[in-house]
């Protein structure tokens, strides 16, 4: 999964990790009836939603892959790719496509096709080496690409802010988009090294055949230290920091839009000011909506990850494991939000989309059969010939009758 690193509820060896920190008070008083009721409710909800999540996630991933592919086609049109923001959005769409593709394969293989080998002694789901390699790649790519996409969102907010503040900013040059993407992707990959180190591939012998599984640390001081570092990185660097930066730049952007609106009202007519204000209000609303979607989908994951760093065993067992699929759903929604909301902001995007649909219709029409088939066209020709002969006969009779002329006759 995207931020639990795997579907821990179905991995007994992973969910059995124990990196508790001595000297810390317990987060939950398990003897309290209210706490027990809350945990029972969480696990009941997890069991109910788990049966729904596999199908919902497959639909969202399938839709998201197609939507982001269309997103890339539109954003890379000549008229669109002259914008730095549009190029960054295309890179974000590429990240989301790969992320959702690996998640789609993961859900189909490890959930819908759950015909697995079980190691009897440790009750662990084990797989062939090929699928374990895929699972490891899925873990790394989903975290790396999702975080890269988050920081690219921050970059787009910063560039919008710079565009309002300074039109000739160097960040407005389209060529800088690739440099920003490479810099962000490389930096995020470095921060993902603890995630790579904290996961281990363990070999199991089942009936004389070697099978494999992914494990997390169990009371090993060195491994637990790396696990704690990874949790703090996930909560702070991967979640809290991009959320804080996006909030900051969005607020600054909205403030500058408001200031520019007030300046514009002083130098234009009242009708023009009203029209511009309506456009500004719509842009402000949509920017706030984008920010709201981002915060609602990413901040809960950051909060749980930070709590997991403080109370690793309890939060891991009682929150991360049962709510992991909900967190996955939030990440998948965030990966589709840009395609849905961005057309509402950009009129140029909508126009490019309409042109693309019109061209697609023309292409389909060029390959589709004509409305008049071969048989129908033959009938039409035959009918026309009969009608022509009939009209000719009428004309000839008129010519041979008294009082007729030799002038032209309309047929």
């Amino acid at each position: 999964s995207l931020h639990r690193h795997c579907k821990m509820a179905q991995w007994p060896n992973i969910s059995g990790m124990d990196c508790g920190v001595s000297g810390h008070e317990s987060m939950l008083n398990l003897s309290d009836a209210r706490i027990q009721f809350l945990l029972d409710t969480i696990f009941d909800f997890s069991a109910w939603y788990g049966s729904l999540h596999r199908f919902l996630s497959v639909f969202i991933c399938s839709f998201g892959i197609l939507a982001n592919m269309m997103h890339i086609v539109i954003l890379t049109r000549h008229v669109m790719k002259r914008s730095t923001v549009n190029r960054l959005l295309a890179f974000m769409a590429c990240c989301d496509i790969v992320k959702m593709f690996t998640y789609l394969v993961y859900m189909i293989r490890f959930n819908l096709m759950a015909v697995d080998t079980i190691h009897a002694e440790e009750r662990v789901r084990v797989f062939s080496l090929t699928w374990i390699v895929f699972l490891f790649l899925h873990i790394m790519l989903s975290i790396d690409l999702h975080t890269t996409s988050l920081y690219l969102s921050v970059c787009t907010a910063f560039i919008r802010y710079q565009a309002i503040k300074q039109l000739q900013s160097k960040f407005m040059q389209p060529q800088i988009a690739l440099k920003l993407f490479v810099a962000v992707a490389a930096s995020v990959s470095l921060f993902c090294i603890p995630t790579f180190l904290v996961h281990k591939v363990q070999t199991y012998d089942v009936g004389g055949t070697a099978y494999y599984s992914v494990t997390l640390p169990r009371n090993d001081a060195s491994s637990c230290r790396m696990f704690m570092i990874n949790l703090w990185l996930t909560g702070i660097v991967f979640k809290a920091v991009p959320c804080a930066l996006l909030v900051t730049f969005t607020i600054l952007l909205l403030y500058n839009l408001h200031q520019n609106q007030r300046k514009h009202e002083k130098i234009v007519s009242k009708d023009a000011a009203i029209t511009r204000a309506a456009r500004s209000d719509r842009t402000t609303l949509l920017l706030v909506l984008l920010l709201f979607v981002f915060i609602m989908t990413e901040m809960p994951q950051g909060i749980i990850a930070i709590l997991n760093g403080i109370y690793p065993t309890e939060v891991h067992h009682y929150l991360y494991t049962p709510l992991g699929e909900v967190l996955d759903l939030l990440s998948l929604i965030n990966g589709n939000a840009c395609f849905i909301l961005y057309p509402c902001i950009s009129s140029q995007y909508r126009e490019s989309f309409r042109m693309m649909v019109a061209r697609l219709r023309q292409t389909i029409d060029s390959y589709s059969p004509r409305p008049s088939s071969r048989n129908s066209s033959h009938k039409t020709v035959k009918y026309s010939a009969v009608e022509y002969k009939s009209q000719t006969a009428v004309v000839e009779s008129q010519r041979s009758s008294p009082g007729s002329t030799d002038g032209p006759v309309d047929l």
Side-chain angles (χ1 to χ4, degrees):
S1 63
L2 300 180
H3 296 287
R4 290 170 298 117
H5 310 153
C6 55
K7 195 180 177 197
M8 297 176 182
Q10 296 189 8
W11 291 77
N13 56 320
I14 292 181
S15 61
M17 58 76 64
D18 187 8
C19 283
V21 181
S22 59
H24 280 237
E25 294 183 2
S26 176
M27 176 185 175
L28 301 172
N29 181 11
L30 298 180
S31 61
D32 190 329
R34 291 171 297 181
I35 297 297
Q36 292 179 3
F37 175 77
L38 176 62
L39 294 179
D40 288 342
T41 303
I42 291 175
F43 278 95
D44 288 342
F45 172 79
S46 176
W48 171 80
Y49 178 71
S51 60
L52 177 66
H53 176 76
R54 61 188 67 182
F55 303 105
L56 183 60
S57 62
V58 167
F59 170 76
I60 293 177
C61 287
S62 302
F63 170 80
I65 291 171
L66 296 176
N68 280 286
M69 289 175 64
M70 185 179 297
H71 199 44
I72 293 172
V73 171
I74 297 173
L75 292 172
T76 53
R77 292 176 65 88
H78 180 71
V79 69
M80 297 291 291
K81 67 181 181 180
R82 290 180 292 183
S83 166
T84 308
V85 169
N86 290 341
R87 292 194 179 195
L88 289 177
L89 291 174
F91 286 127
M92 289 169 57
C94 292
C95 293
D96 290 332
I97 286 174
V98 177
K99 176 189 69 178
M100 284 187 277
F101 176 76
T102 62
Y103 193 85
L104 179 63
V105 176
Y106 166 79
M107 289 302 299
I108 293 174
R109 172 60 185 89
F110 293 90
N111 289 271
L112 297 178
M113 297 172 54
V115 182
D116 306 318
T117 305
I118 306 296
H119 189 268
E121 295 181 5
E122 298 194 26
R123 298 178 59 250
V124 176
R125 293 174 67 193
V126 292
F127 303 90
S128 65
L129 182 60
T130 302
W131 283 112
I132 285 298
V133 170
F134 165 78
L135 180 61
F136 218 96
L137 287 175
H138 163 65
I139 291 169
M140 298 306 302
L141 285 175
S142 59
I143 297 171
D144 192 339
L145 294 177
H146 186 73
T147 307
T148 299
S149 182
L150 297 184
Y151 275 99
L152 289 178
S153 296
V154 174
C155 290
T156 60
F158 173 75
I159 291 172
R160 287 190 183 107
Y161 165 67
Q162 286 291 321
I164 296 246
K165 184 179 179 182
Q166 184 181 356
L167 290 176
Q168 301 301 322
S169 172
K170 63 179 181 179
F171 292 101
M172 298 300 296
Q173 300 175 3
Q175 295 79 8
I176 203 171
L178 179 61
K179 297 178 182 178
L180 285 174
F181 171 71
V182 172
V184 169
S187 301
V188 170
S189 297
L190 289 176
F191 281 108
C192 284
I193 291 177
T195 302
F196 176 81
L197 297 176
V198 80
H199 291 87
K200 308 294 181 183
V201 176
Q202 188 168 342
T203 306
Y204 295 89
D205 181 78
V206 180
T209 304
Y211 288 90
Y212 306 88
S213 184
V214 177
T215 63
L216 287 175
R218 289 185 178 183
N219 279 331
D220 176 73
S222 176
S223 298
C224 280
R225 190 179 304 111
M226 184 61 65
F227 182 73
M228 299 290 287
I229 292 173
N230 180 62
L231 291 176
W232 283 101
L233 282 175
T234 301
I236 297 177
V237 178
F238 293 175
K239 299 297 177 184
V241 171
C243 285
L245 290 175
L246 190 64
V247 169
T248 301
F249 290 133
T250 302
I251 291 175
L252 290 174
L253 175 60
L254 293 175
Y255 175 77
N256 279 276
L257 283 173
H258 180 67
Q259 292 296 107
N260 288 349
Q261 175 64 27
R262 293 182 62 182
K263 293 178 182 178
H264 189 75
E265 289 175 353
K266 297 179 179 179
I267 58 176
V268 298
S269 64
K270 184 178 180 180
D271 292 339
I274 292 175
T275 303
R276 183 182 177 91
R279 250 191 337 260
S280 178
D281 290 342
R282 187 182 67 176
T283 302
T284 300
L285 176 62
L286 290 168
L287 288 172
V288 171
L289 183 59
L290 280 171
L291 178 63
F292 175 77
V293 171
F294 189 95
I295 296 299
M296 292 302 295
T297 55
E298 300 302 326
M299 188 59 77
Q301 303 175 51
I303 293 173
I304 293 179
I306 292 174
L307 288 175
N308 204 2
I310 302 173
Y311 305 100
T313 302
E314 290 178 301
V315 173
H316 188 87
H317 281 297
Y318 301 123
L319 291 180
Y320 239 39
T321 297
L323 297 179
E325 289 177 330
V326 177
L327 301 182
D328 289 350
L329 177 66
L330 295 178
S331 295
L332 293 176
I333 291 173
N334 192 29
N336 289 280
C338 191
F339 173 78
I340 297 173
L341 296 178
Y342 190 65
C344 301
I345 298 176
S346 174
S347 58
Q348 190 180 50
Y349 186 98
R350 294 193 298 271
E351 182 62 28
S352 296
F353 179 78
R354 281 193 292 266
M355 291 176 61
M356 189 189 73
V357 171
R359 184 170 297 180
L360 182 62
R361 285 181 176 177
Q362 291 178 356
T363 303
I364 294 174
D365 290 341
S366 65
Y367 286 100
S368 61
R370 297 296 179 183
S372 57
S373 63
R374 186 175 181 180
N375 293 333
S376 63
S377 63
H378 175 70
K379 291 179 180 178
T380 303
V381 172
K382 186 176 180 181
Y383 175 79
S384 299
V386 171
E387 183 181 25
Y388 178 79
K389 290 180 180 179
S390 174
Q391 293 289 343
T392 304
V394 172
V395 171
E396 291 297 332
S397 64
Q398 289 177 351
R399 285 179 177 175
S400 60
S401 62
S404 64
T405 64
D406 294 332
V409 180
D410 294 333
L411 299 179

